[in-house]
Amino acid sequence: MGGGICIIGSGFSAAVLLLHLDDKGFDCRHVTIIGRGELGTGQAFGCVHDDFRLNVRAELMRVWPDRPLEFTHWAKTRLTDDPDAASDAGDFYRRRDFAVYMAEQLNHRPGTQSASRIESEAVALTADDRRWQVTLDDGRTVSADQVVLATGNPSPDWPFRGPVIDAPTLVRVPWRGDWVDRVGGDERVVVIGSGLTAMDTIHVLHRRKHRGNITLVAPDGLLPPVQTDWHSADALAWPEPMRASDFLGFMRRHIGDGDWQDAEWQRRFESLRVYICEAWQRLAPLDQARLMRRVGWLWSLARFRAGPQAHGSAQTLLASGQLTIRRDMVSGIATTGADGPHHVQLAGGGPIEADFVVNCSGAGRDPLVSGLVEQGLVAAHAGFRGRPALTPDLALCQPDGMPYRTLHALGPVTAHEAGDVVGAPGTATQAHELATRLAAGTPEES
């Protein structure tokens, strides 16, 4: 079965591409979407807990380039029961409410309802007689003329090698927030990682008036800065050509040495981001890899700033001494008995004894995408060997370096090549551009 365009994935990346295909007049009866769960939610917005919030204010959550404030207007009308969204830096709504907005966007476009849905997972992809064959986890296959990898962020994994028992008090995948009620009020909690998911975890524990000690373990020992009410981030032109040192030097000269929790510092940072994807793509692959090794962690902290609600909870718990930060790496988890306690082993010391462990490390691997590289069907990126090589128009490359004209990707899976596209607005921009190309015609050759 199959034909037309097959979108692998069912989260935000897949949904926003379907919306833009319909907007371009493409007949969505020729679209098949493979993936489980409610279309448009995915890891980012499939939350069930009210205290998991967007980390950017409403006007930055953009799906349509020509209607940048649509979600803001929708939220002001529909989300009147969320007084905690308001802050001095803007309105930070619940993640699950953005999923409701996406569902309404799909429902208001009858064309998107004609797309086929297959509630399975794609486990393999092969080329056969100028068409693609997608193998599903239930053994079925789907044939397609075009394939788009819109798999989103991979499911989280523990950030170390070695076995970990399956226990209710060891949370490998924290994003839904369905684990929160399993935490005892006095239990000792270890949080692995210090990014936005860790901030969500700290915030929800604080909101539940958790009494036990919370230890956060991260290699850099830093928490993300808080979002401010920065505005007017005018586009900044990047010089060319550049090497890795030029790229980093240009950023430093423009941003300066100010406080990264200052609105002016964040405004300057955001002005860099307007054209950073184009600048990143002009770098040689090895320069991209050098930059990621040197400052990738710091860029992520500055880029993915915390909402005021989560940041406030973290500061309150730090000030009281209930939250402590260990600058270290987790090397394993050993468990005594069926229900713990757990001994969280550290590379530089420890162990830490915990009753509950939440994995917020960001570690993960997309087996479908990495399998394409390992099998030699797709060329590996020269700087990131386990990741696929792509062209600027999001086509994956064949082993000889030539682009496939019928195999594309968008969203987080492209970030190593495309640049700063992990957030919803960046993915939506990619979807708009890719939908324009796909709707213009389906090439016959792969």
Side-chain angles (χ1 to χ4, degrees), residues 152-213:
N153 291 304
S155 182
D157 204 352
W158 297 104
F160 49 81
R161 295 183 179 181
V164 178
I165 68 167
D166 185 15
T169 52
L170 293 174
V171 181
R172 179 178 61 84
V173 184
W175 287 332
R176 281 183 53 80
D178 51 0
W179 50 269
V180 174
D181 291 336
R182 300 201 299 268
V183 186
D186 295 306
E187 289 188 324
R188 300 159 297 177
V189 179
V190 167
V191 180
I192 305 174
S194 61
L196 293 179
T197 307
M199 297 295 281
D200 286 338
T201 298
I202 293 168
H203 179 55
V204 75
L205 291 173
H206 180 242
R207 292 276 291 177
R208 293 181 77 248
K209 304 186 184 305
H210 185 75
R211 299 178 298 275
N213 290 331

Side-chain angles (χ1 to χ4, degrees), residues 36 40 52 106 133 199 214 272 282 295 304 311 319 373 376 384:
R36 293 192 173 92
F52 279 55
L106 292 165
Q133 304 298 324
M199 297 295 281
I214 305 169
L272 283 173
R282 292 196 297 266
V295 296
F304 298 104
H311 184 267
V373 176
F384 304 93

Side-chain angles (χ1 to χ4, degrees), residues 290-346:
R290 289 189 189 101
L291 279 170
M292 285 301 296
R293 286 194 300 268
R294 184 173 178 182
V295 296
W297 65 274
L298 187 59
W299 170 266
S300 292
L301 280 173
R303 160 71 172 84
F304 298 104
R305 301 184 290 272
Q309 296 88 344
H311 184 267
S313 290
Q315 294 306 307
T316 297
L317 294 180
L318 280 170
S320 71
Q322 185 180 354
L323 171 64
T324 58
I325 300 177
R326 290 285 297 269
R327 185 176 180 178
D328 211 325
M329 296 179 64
V330 174
S331 58
I333 299 175
T335 298
T336 303
D339 300 316
H342 308 294
H343 300 277
V344 181
Q345 300 160 351
L346 305 182

Side-chain angles (χ1 to χ4, degrees), residues 11-90:
F12 175 78
S13 298
V16 75
L17 177 59
L18 182 65
L19 285 170
H20 281 283
L21 282 170
D22 181 73
D23 189 58
K24 297 298 180 184
F26 189 84
D27 187 348
C28 293
R29 290 177 297 178
H30 301 299
V31 175
T32 300
I33 297 176
I34 298 175
R36 293 192 173 92
E38 184 178 353
L39 181 61
T41 58
Q43 305 275 22
F45 308 118
C47 305
V48 297
H49 203 284
D50 285 352
D51 289 323
F52 279 55
R53 293 187 174 274
L54 300 170
N55 72 300
V56 297
R57 58 182 185 265
E59 60 262 35
L60 300 180
M61 294 297 292
R62 299 170 182 174
V63 169
W64 303 102
D66 58 339
R67 302 192 295 279
L69 295 180
E70 183 170 280
F71 175 66
T72 303
H73 298 322
W74 178 90
K76 289 292 187 184
T77 303
R78 294 291 309 277
L79 305 181
T80 56
D81 63 340
D82 186 16
D84 292 332
S87 78
D88 292 340

Side-chain angles (χ1 to χ4, degrees), residues 266-439:
Q266 293 186 13
R267 185 194 69 78
R268 292 183 176 211
F269 183 87
E270 293 300 321
S271 70
L272 283 173
R273 290 186 53 225
V274 178
Y275 292 130
I276 197 170
C277 290
E278 291 88 340
W280 178 263
Q281 291 169 24
R282 292 196 297 266
L283 288 172
L286 293 181
D287 280 331
Q288 293 175 342
R290 289 189 189 101
L291 279 170
M292 285 301 296
R293 286 194 300 268
R294 184 173 178 182
V295 296
W297 65 274
L298 187 59
W299 170 266
S300 292
L301 280 173
R303 160 71 172 84
F304 298 104
R305 301 184 290 272
Q309 296 88 344
H311 184 267
S313 290
Q315 294 306 307
T316 297
L317 294 180
L318 280 170
S320 71
Q322 185 180 354
L323 171 64
T324 58
I325 300 177
R326 290 285 297 269
R327 185 176 180 178
D328 211 325
M329 296 179 64
V330 174
S331 58
I333 299 175
T335 298
T336 303
D339 300 316
H342 308 294
H343 300 277
V344 181
Q345 300 160 351
L346 305 182
I352 303 172
E353 194 167 275
D355 303 301
F356 209 94
V357 182
V358 187
N359 172 35
C360 305
S361 65
R365 175 178 178 271
D366 188 323
L368 175 64
V369 176
S370 58
L372 296 177
V373 176
E374 293 166 0
Q375 296 160 18
L377 186 64
V378 170
H381 187 281
F384 304 93
R385 297 302 300 177
R387 301 183 184 182
L390 298 105
T391 66
D393 64 356
L394 306 180
L396 277 77
C397 294
Q398 303 176 56
D400 62 3
M402 295 297 293
Y404 284 108
R405 296 182 61 192
T406 55
L407 179 62
H408 294 82
L410 83 158
V413 71
T414 72
H416 63 287
E417 180 80 70
D420 184 25
V421 297
V422 178
T427 299
T429 298
Q430 282 189 330
H432 171 75
E433 295 170 353
L434 181 56
T436 301
R437 292 191 291 273
L438 293 175

